[in-house]
Amino acid sequence: MAPTSVKSVAFALQGLLTLCSAGPVHQQRSDVPDGFYVPAYYPAPYGGWVDSWAESYDKAKALVDQMTLAEKTNITAGSGIFMDEVLGRCNGNTGSALRVGFPQLCLNDAANGVRQADNVTVFPDGITVGATFDKKLMYERGVAIGEESRGKGVHIWLGPTVGPLGRKPKGGRNWEGFGADPVLQGVGARETIRGVQEQGVTATVKHLIGNEQEMYRMFNPFQQGYSANIVQDDRTLHEIYLLPFAFAVHAGVGAVMTAYNAVNGSACSQHPYLINGILKDELGFQGLVMSDWLAHMSGVDSALAGLDLDMPGDVQIPLFGGSFWMYELTRAALNGTVPMERINDMATRVVATWYQMGQDKDFPETNFDTNSNKAVGPLYPAAWPLSPTGVVNEFVQVQDHHHLIARQIAQEAITLLKNKDDLLPLSTSQPLKVFGTAAKTNPDGPNACPDRNCNKGTLGQGWGSGTVDYMYLDDPISALEDRADDVKFYNTDKFPEVDKPTEDDVAIVFITSDAGENTYTVEGNHGDRDASRLFAWHNGDNLVKAAAEKYSNVVVVAQTVGQLVMEEWINLPSVKSVLIAHMPGQEAGQSLTNILFGDASPCGHLPYSITYREEDMPPSVTELIDKALLNQPQDTFSEGLYIDYRYLNHQGIKPRYAFGHGLSYTTFSYTNATITKVTELDTLPPPRPEKGPTLDYSQPIPKPSEGVAPKGFFRIPRYIYSWLSEKEANAAAKDAANEYGAYPDGYTTEQKPGPRAGGGQGGNPALWDVAYKLSVTVTNEGSRNYSGKASVQAYLQYPEGIPYDTPPIQLRDFEKTGELAPGESETVELRLTRRDVSVWDVELQDWVVPEVDGGYKVWLGAASDDLNLVCHVDGLECENNVEGPV
Ligand code: BGC
């Protein structure tokens, strides 16, 4: 784990530093281009009308009804950054209502495990899991993360990440998610959430929405976070960026985190259209919505916009005990600016989620402390030096067999881009010359840099809050030295003096590319890869070139957060094999040697496209938006639906390696495609089911005494409480009597029936009906006598001539075979749902099948540019051995 002091202050410092370096105070609201605006959507829709949540809501309401006002406002916000109570030592901790039996909740990162904890597993990052194209592994990782979270006493796990979706190749946090495609992200999220929540831990899908770059993401009193301008015609929102969230809600996710940035000029944490309209009404989200850390910027507005939980409780300048909610929400209730209905609704959402995950029974107490790695430490670090001390870490072992799952994922993600002359696999008796510092663990230790905010040694994870502290790091060089007879390691990124190579020598060159959260700047990169661009760090490209000059057999292994431009070396005659190891986590060594030496065939596939040049993508995604001195920076999604392979195919630009590409040591044939119709479709889905009954949250404004601390209560400095002083509470009540409360234009307390596209978790349930089933037989036909696993990917092409502009092909489903021995076959099944064959119609505000049973083509194969089977929806016939669409 990272040293205590660094660990505790890094985050707070970020807020203060951005503040000190920011420009002059500026109040202008925004410079959003024409056509992008935020419609009002009030009131916040209630939850509990979906059958599977009804019981949890009934129980929650019964509990919330017993709470005082200050208890309700205490459970809807954090008690302050680095502020713990006896049970909470996590990245975020809510207040409690212990009098009625509701505990403080522990909220903890990271998207690849349990952050800042001990005796846990560093799972491969999301991008690595995406590269497996394997639903089972996605699920198993979710189960294991859920088990570790629960074992550590984490109620709400802060993952998975699906936003950023990966629109910008240089975007800092793409590696937390599963790849640059909404279905890959959606399936990754769904499987993860299922696995985590089956362990009784709430998952948090994040960040809603448009957080596609790191720089200038945050609001502070001096600068506005950028505006992601997505919702002009709302089709791009629905078909690309919202889709993974729809998958998550459909899977019953318990929590959603809003993004730091704004959308169409309004900050996500107080965005009534996004939270009330899209998330809670259209997608029918039943759980709780929290702000990202220090992204809460208003009391009344965010409450009315549908936010339920303010995290970590502080205002944007933390550590002074200030909050927009807690005591301020108590005041807002007493003076009538936030209706009690809303407060009861948000408190009920928090408690209902807790019941829904079964956390009311036998939930382990939190037994680790994100602020310290010592057994005993300050109970309230932010109150230092006045904090009492106590036991903060109990070192509970939760790893179990999880390293095996982590290793399997790291291994099955490894993506073989090229393998000229079948150089791989190697034999263990070949003399190996290994180059690059990434082959070996950082000599200062794998956790020497807090939140992995350096790129030194083996790169197992990106940097920022999406990281886990290593208990160990199985690095490639140890695994190579264990397995091979003759390994010479040059621990340098500058090509060294070497002996004259022999003919048998194989050079293995390790290169990296890192990215992370804007909390830290690493080697000039502000989270995004703004300095390194898409080139290997530490002169990695030169290292490869120099090795290629000397040796005639070179294997490149890239530990990379995402796309790399490889043109300087990819075609050099001696660069024969290239492996992308992605972000392998703690199991970087054996997972790689198992592939290098042929214990297993590679079976990873690229979760993004690798282009020849950065400029092969449109400037709206390649260029990072810059700070706007006085105004709000604008990130306008002018490319619309056309990101990654959708753009390249549309423009007819060939990538160096296409989305989905990945070779094996063997070859597979794909034959016998079939398609069957499962559900009769109409242009529009059947009418949505009506909302089930919701609870009655109405209540007169409580007595001021419900918001006042008990006499003689000792306040811990900087701790955030929900109580007002008696004088303040009485003054608020007086304001209410003078009808001080005024709601925004368009506000109403009357619940709406909900939009036509809604009706269940994830929208109209009919959207998830399976419309067509497809099957394909995959046979291991390789002549090299290797077994292996194959990926089957299904891409949809919409009928020609429909009145909607659609990308040439779009991923709709994927499956992986089991291990196939030479000659062995497996038939896999894939599915297309009603939504898969629909488009979002901006005028109808619904999903429309543009041509029922019409000229759709479903392309099947191993990658987006390797699709040799096609099934026709019209006529329900398939052809084998055809030329692919792109
Ligand atoms: C990140 C979130 C994270 C939170 C808590 C924020 O900086 O954006 O993803 O969950 O911190 O650590």
Side-chain angles (χ1 to χ4, degrees):
M1 286 192 284
T4 309
S5 53
V6 186
K7 212 164 152 178
S8 317
V9 291
F11 197 99
L13 270 182
Q14 183 205 10
L16 293 172
L17 286 178
T18 18
L19 207 67
C20 300
S21 60
V25 180
H26 177 67
Q27 293 305 328
Q28 185 180 336
R29 191 159 174 283
S30 77
D31 290 279
V32 179
D34 282 353
F36 296 96
Y37 66 100
V38 177
Y41 199 106
Y42 299 109
Y46 297 161
W49 50 270
V50 165
D51 278 355
S52 56
W53 282 75
E55 195 186 325
S56 300
Y57 266 81
D58 287 343
K59 289 189 201 158
K61 174 138 194 315
L63 198 71
V64 170
D65 280 349
Q66 298 170 42
M67 294 182 189
T68 63
L69 172 59
E71 281 166 338
K72 292 174 188 172
T73 54
N74 201 36
I75 64 165
T76 55
S79 47
I81 199 159
F82 313 134
M83 277 302 184
D84 313 333
E85 257 179 33
V86 183
L87 299 180
R89 311 153 190 169
C90 305
N91 296 139
N93 308 280
T94 64
S96 57
L98 293 177
R99 190 184 59 86
V100 298
F102 191 74
Q104 188 173 34
L105 300 180
C106 162
L107 291 83
N108 219 76
D109 296 312
N112 66 330
V114 186
R115 179 181 174 211
Q116 295 173 324
D118 56 85
N119 295 299
V120 293
T121 306
V122 184
F123 292 94
D125 282 325
I127 200 72
T128 318
V129 191
T132 66
F133 277 74
D134 189 322
K135 293 173 183 165
K136 192 165 151 272
L137 290 177
M138 292 169 172
Y139 170 72
E140 284 176 3
R141 174 173 169 273
V143 170
I145 291 177
E147 285 171 352
E148 295 201 1
S149 300
R150 189 178 173 105
K152 286 290 180 189
V154 174
H155 298 87
I156 302 184
W157 172 66
L158 301 175
T161 304
V162 298
L165 182 126
R167 165 181 176 244
K168 296 193 175 188
K170 288 183 220 145
R173 296 178 76 178
N174 298 346
W175 49 273
E176 287 187 35
F178 305 95
D181 177 274
V183 169
L184 187 54
Q185 290 278 7
V187 172
R190 178 188 73 205
E191 298 303 319
T192 307
I193 290 162
R194 270 199 324 124
V196 168
Q197 294 196 163
E198 281 170 11
Q199 315 317 310
V201 171
T202 301
T204 307
V205 66
K206 66 188 187 183
H207 310 83
L208 188 80
I209 201 168
N211 191 174
E212 297 292 328
Q213 90 163 41
E214 280 301 284
M215 292 189 294
Y216 316 117
R217 62 180 183 162
M218 271 176 104
F219 284 75
N220 64 45
F222 300 92
Q223 159 126 36
Q224 302 183 58
Y226 62 77
S227 171
N229 302 318
I230 316 176
V231 196
Q232 189 166 28
D233 62 10
D234 84 358
R235 192 167 155 215
T236 304
L237 177 81
H238 279 87
E239 294 190 19
I240 306 284
Y241 298 96
L242 190 66
L243 199 55
F245 289 93
F247 272 83
V249 177
H250 188 58
V253 71
V256 173
M257 188 190 293
T258 58
Y260 278 123
N261 53 281
V263 164
N264 289 18
S266 246
C268 288
S269 61
Q270 48 187 33
H271 206 296
Y273 167 76
L274 274 181
I275 307 177
N276 286 341
I278 294 285
L279 180 66
K280 289 189 173 171
D281 235 1
E282 187 183 317
L283 293 188
F285 174 62
Q286 304 289 305
L288 64 94
V289 182
M290 71 180 82
S291 65
D292 199 346
W293 269 232
L294 308 179
H296 193 216
M297 16 192 317
S298 64
V300 176
D301 285 350
S302 59
L304 300 186
L307 194 78
D308 303 308
L309 183 58
D310 154 24
M311 271 294 140
D314 312 67
V315 292
Q316 287 151 295
I317 304 172
L319 296 174
F320 293 101
S323 182
F324 288 113
W325 278 9
M326 282 287 187
Y327 57 91
E328 288 295 3
L329 193 55
T330 303
R331 193 195 314 273
L334 290 177
N335 71 20
T337 41
V338 174
M340 279 312 292
E341 282 100 322
R342 181 73 262 271
I343 289 175
N344 288 332
D345 161 30
M346 61 174 88
T348 307
R349 280 181 177 267
V350 170
V351 178
T353 307
W354 178 72
Y355 277 121
Q356 182 75 1
M357 303 300 149
Q359 295 178 353
D360 54 319
K361 297 202 184 72
D362 304 327
F363 199 84
E365 291 194 356
T366 307
N367 52 49
F368 73 108
D369 188 345
T370 57
N371 301 296
S372 165
N373 50 17
K374 304 209 172 74
V376 173
L379 291 176
Y380 313 100
W384 185 87
L386 299 174
S387 171
T389 50
V391 173
V392 290
N393 279 307
E394 280 132 70
F395 306 107
V396 175
Q397 164 67 256
V398 292
Q399 289 150 296
D400 199 5
H401 64 293
H402 297 160
H403 67 287
L404 297 177
I405 296 169
R407 189 185 302 152
Q408 187 82 7
I409 295 170
Q411 181 174 316
E412 300 208 4
I414 292 176
T415 309
L416 179 64
L417 297 184
K418 73 180 272 193
N419 196 20
K420 205 169 116 202
D421 304 336
D422 290 337
L423 173 64
L424 293 181
L426 305 171
S427 108
T428 50
S429 58
Q430 262 165 302
L432 304 179
K433 307 289 185 271
V434 180
F435 300 90
T437 55
K440 192 173 167 66
T441 305
N442 179 353
D444 306 328
N447 299 319
C449 305
D451 289 334
R452 313 299 78 78
N453 70 0
C454 63
N455 178 6
K456 220 172 156 193
T458 301
L459 186 62
Q461 317 171 67
W463 75 77
S465 62
T467 56
V468 175
D469 293 344
Y470 292 104
M471 298 304 110
Y472 67 85
L473 171 54
D474 174 30
D475 60 10
I477 196 62
S478 316
L480 280 163
E481 283 170 349
D482 268 3
R483 284 293 295 278
D485 303 336
D486 178 4
V487 179
K488 171 102 181 98
F489 177 40
Y490 299 91
N491 193 3
T492 169
D493 294 319
K494 204 159 169 261
F495 196 73
E497 286 290 315
V498 294
D499 296 337
K500 193 168 178 307
T502 66
E503 227 175 66
D504 292 344
D505 272 352
V506 175
I508 306 181
V509 185
F510 284 83
I511 59 173
T512 63
S513 177
D514 201 358
E517 197 170 345
N518 186 236
T519 328
Y520 306 103
T521 297
V522 177
E523 300 186 33
N525 293 279
H526 296 83
D528 307 307
R529 293 189 281 174
D530 53 324
S532 69
R533 310 176 71 95
L534 304 181
F535 297 107
W537 287 34
H538 309 148
N539 285 320
D541 295 323
N542 289 338
L543 187 66
V544 176
K545 283 192 282 184
E549 214 164 279
K550 203 87 185 174
Y551 297 89
S552 45
N553 291 311
V554 176
V555 179
V556 178
V557 178
Q559 295 154 357
T560 178
V561 287
Q563 296 85 337
L564 283 177
V565 169
M566 307 173 162
E567 294 312 304
E568 286 188 38
W569 45 263
I570 189 73
N571 266 346
L572 296 175
S574 45
V575 176
K576 293 194 170 155
S577 304
V578 179
L579 293 168
I580 303 288
H582 308 280
M583 294 285 100
Q586 70 179 34
E587 302 296 332
Q590 255 194 69
S591 59
L592 179 68
T593 49
N594 286 347
I595 296 294
L596 284 174
F597 298 117
D599 305 77
S601 290
C603 61
H605 291 260
L606 281 181
Y608 44 74
S609 310
I610 291 186
T611 56
Y612 287 89
R613 309 173 310 145
E614 192 181 306
E615 300 74 36
D616 285 347
M617 292 284 183
S620 60
V621 309
T622 54
E623 283 167 18
L624 298 162
I625 46 145
D626 206 350
K627 171 166 71 200
L629 196 54
L630 292 177
N631 305 336
Q632 182 177 44
Q634 301 297 317
D635 190 8
T636 298
F637 290 38
S638 53
E639 73 291 339
L641 304 169
Y642 296 98
I643 57 166
D644 202 270
Y645 68 90
R646 288 168 168 80
Y647 176 80
L648 296 171
N649 292 340
H650 185 58
Q651 296 293 316
I653 301 173
K654 285 251 167 272
R656 166 59 72 182
Y657 295 111
F659 178 91
H661 172 76
L663 304 173
S664 170
Y665 296 151
T666 183
T667 50
F668 299 97
S669 68
Y670 293 68
T671 56
N672 295 335
T674 67
I675 179 167
T676 47
K677 181 149 82 173
V678 182
T679 306
E680 278 300 336
L681 301 179
D682 272 324
T683 307
L684 283 171
R688 59 165 286 167
E690 276 180 28
K691 267 188 190 175
T694 51
L695 300 163
D696 180 5
Y697 293 133
S698 58
Q699 183 192 349
I701 295 177
K703 296 190 300 286
S705 58
E706 282 198 27
V708 178
K711 287 228 155 39
F713 179 77
F714 172 73
R715 282 174 184 265
I716 292 164
R718 295 191 282 271
Y719 198 97
I720 303 175
Y721 297 96
S722 61
W723 287 306
L724 295 168
S725 69
E726 198 170 337
K727 201 167 144 207
E728 288 169 321
N730 288 334
K734 213 161 133 206
D735 283 338
N738 295 334
E739 298 198 8
Y740 170 76
Y743 306 138
D745 281 351
Y747 192 79
T748 150
T749 50
E750 202 173 307
Q751 289 285 304
K752 289 187 173 44
R756 59 184 288 162
Q761 291 189 87
N764 187 338
L767 295 171
W768 302 93
D769 289 345
V770 174
Y772 302 96
K773 273 191 185 160
L774 299 124
S775 73
V776 184
T777 303
V778 183
T779 309
N780 180 348
E781 288 207 323
S783 52
R784 296 180 71 201
N785 207 25
Y786 285 103
S787 58
K789 295 185 178 178
S791 154
V792 185
Q793 302 168 21
Y795 294 82
L796 184 77
Q797 182 179 352
Y798 282 86
E800 277 169 30
I802 57 170
Y804 303 91
D805 192 19
T806 50
I809 54 167
Q810 307 194 64
L811 182 73
R812 288 300 190 233
D813 198 10
F814 55 87
E815 283 297 339
K816 196 107 175 232
T817 66
E819 189 80 24
L820 296 179
E824 207 181 332
S825 299
E826 183 180 323
T827 299
V828 299
E829 197 174 86
L830 299 108
R831 289 165 202 85
L832 297 184
T833 62
R834 181 189 310 262
R835 187 209 305 267
D836 287 334
V837 294
S838 302
V839 294
W840 177 257
D841 187 292
V842 298
E843 280 171 24
L844 289 171
Q845 288 288 293
D846 207 346
W847 294 93
V848 166
V849 179
E851 209 177 280
V852 175
D853 293 335
Y856 292 91
K857 292 178 183 162
V858 191
W859 296 91
L860 298 155
S864 67
D865 66 343
D866 183 8
L867 300 167
N868 297 116
L869 303 128
V870 66
C871 294
H872 302 272
V873 161
D874 176 11
L876 299 175
E877 278 174 358
C878 300
E879 298 168 73
N880 298 321
N881 277 325
V882 294
E883 202 180 305
V886 291

